Amino acid sequence: MPLTFLTADHDPVGPAYEPGSPLPHDDRARWHRPYRLGSWRVAAAAGVLLLTSYVLISAVIIGLAGQLTGATVFAAVAALMTVTALRLLRMGVWVSAEGLRQVGPLYTVTLAWPDVSAVRTAQQPVRWLGLPRTVQGQALVVERARGGTALRTQLTTHNADFLNRPEAFDRAADLIESWSAEMRGTQGPRARG
């Protein structure tokens, strides 16, 4: 089963990317994550899948021992762990011609481009790897057109995708701002100081 969200053709520096082009993909109708997954996110998902294999082995052993109820419970836990690992890999910001989508651990928010008033970076306290501890860093802020409220901060310089990779964060933020500017028909991203 190919995991298209992990392949190089979905990466902004992949073969389809032309330098200077704000939209690196020909197919604007498909949802794309305009950045590569970080090693922390991949490691967390791999750890969950490793634990899942132990739970599945336990389910088989319990099933062979004749305890079908226990085996079913362990198999259900393994399925839940697999879904969790896949959700970890899907989390982030996605863009297409339709709009902008933020995928979180338990939520998905999709905004059409007319419903987005601004996409910008801001210097603010951000969570370190999603934990309660906060540090000073940059965050990509997406503001709604109605009400002027911002979506939950999904991309930061200290999340699982960009920890110790500030250049990758800058590139991803610029690409998302470019998508927003192109699709909303406004000016390009602001220069960083």
Side-chain angles (χ1 to χ4, degrees), residues 124-147:
Q124 64 185 37
V126 296
R127 290 182 166 198
W128 185 78
L129 289 177
L131 299 172
R133 176 182 174 215
T134 59
V135 295
Q136 194 66 22
Q138 285 189 335
L140 184 73
V141 178
V142 178
E143 295 179 3
R144 298 175 194 233
R146 294 185 199 124

Side-chain angles (χ1 to χ4, degrees), residues 34-36 161-162 164-175:
Y35 56 91
R36 182 175 291 202
D161 289 320
F162 301 109
N164 298 327
R165 297 175 45 209
E167 302 86 17
F169 173 81
D170 289 341
R171 188 170 50 243
D174 285 343
L175 282 170

